[in-house]
């Protein structure tokens, strides 16, 4: 009986870690305001540069949204739709008030995150020349599973949610094995 209680406690502890992991990761959002926490979202977003002259261009990015498009709105540029995680650009209105801060809102399936953009004194920089991208060589096919010793780093690393889910599965498997072993011991080896 003690083994069942131990397995149950391990399963509950692992589930608690798994459920608390997304909230901890949301605090790492660069758009979050640590003083108020009002911008903690399940997706990431940014405006680059954070300061721009009237008539200047900003790059808008968003990642981690579960739907294919994110809508970006502000009072100083037209609405921009970011599709499938690709960045977009917006041109700040030429009559934007220099020295003012404007709110930029990112909407991911009804969840809203905001940041600010400061309009600088000065004139708009000339538009950057458009250079065509050279053709990209085809990507080689994925080569399968990587194995070996060492830590997990880079884009192939497992995140907290994946590790917690794995822990839950291991604990559930161990609990099932204990229950089946004890049941088999009571019945004399008969299933």
């Amino acid at each position: 009986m003690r083994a069942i209680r131990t397995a149950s406690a391990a399963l509950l502890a692992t589930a608690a870690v798994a459920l608390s992991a997304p909230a901890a990761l949301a605090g790492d959002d660069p758009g979050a305001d640590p003083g108020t926490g009002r911008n903690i979202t399940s997706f990431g977003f940014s405006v680059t540069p954070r300061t721009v002259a009237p008539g200047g261009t900003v790059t808008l990015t968003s990642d981690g949204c579960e739907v294919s498009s994110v809508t970006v709105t502000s009072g100083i540029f037209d609405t921009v739709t970011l599709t499938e995680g690709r960045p977009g650009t917006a041109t700040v209105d030429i009559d934007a008030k220099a020295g003012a801060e404007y709110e930029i809102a990112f909407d991911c399936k009804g969840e809203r995150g905001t940041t600010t953009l400061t309009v600088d004194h000065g004139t708009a920089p000339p538009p950057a020349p458009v250079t065509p991208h050279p053709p990209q060589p085809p990507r080689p096919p994925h080569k399968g599973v990587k194995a070996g010793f060492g830590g997990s780093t880079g884009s192939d690393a497992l995140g907290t949610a994946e590790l917690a889910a794995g822990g839950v599965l291991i604990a559930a498997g161990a609990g099932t094995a204990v229950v089946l072993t004890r049941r088999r011991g009571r019945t004399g080896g008969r299933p």
Side-chain angles (χ1 to χ4, degrees):
M1 209 47 149
R2 176 178 282 163
I4 293 173
R5 279 187 248 150
T6 304
S8 296
L11 180 61
L12 287 173
T14 306
V17 169
L19 293 174
S20 66
L25 293 175
D28 296 336
D29 182 14
D33 180 359
T36 65
R38 70 171 203 206
N39 283 324
I40 296 175
T41 60
S42 64
F43 66 101
F45 55 90
S46 68
V47 177
T48 309
R50 301 283 306 219
T51 302
V52 66
T57 302
V58 292
T59 301
L60 309 164
T61 58
S62 175
D63 63 352
C65 185
E66 295 177 4
V67 294
S68 62
S69 65
V70 173
T71 304
V72 185
T73 56
S74 178
I76 60 169
F77 57 75
D78 293 333
T79 299
V80 176
T81 301
L82 306 178
T83 309
E84 296 179 357
R86 293 187 189 107
T89 59
T91 302
V92 174
D93 294 339
I94 196 73
D95 60 350
K97 184 177 177 184
E101 270 192 2
Y102 291 90
E103 182 177 85
I104 312 298
F106 291 77
D107 188 298
C108 168
K109 67 177 180 170
E111 181 180 8
R112 182 181 156 133
T114 61
T115 188
T116 58
L117 176 66
T118 304
V119 176
D120 191 10
H121 302 283
T123 60
V130 177
T131 56
H133 294 285
Q136 298 292 325
R139 296 176 82 171
H142 186 60
K143 296 187 180 183
V145 177
K146 297 177 186 175
F149 294 103
S152 296
T153 60
S155 63
D156 291 337
L158 292 176
T160 305
E162 289 89 355
L163 291 174
V168 168
L169 291 173
I170 290 170
T176 302
V178 168
V179 169
L180 291 176
T181 301
R182 292 185 56 77
R183 188 179 295 165
R184 197 171 284 165
R186 285 191 209 139
T187 61
R190 289 175 279 148

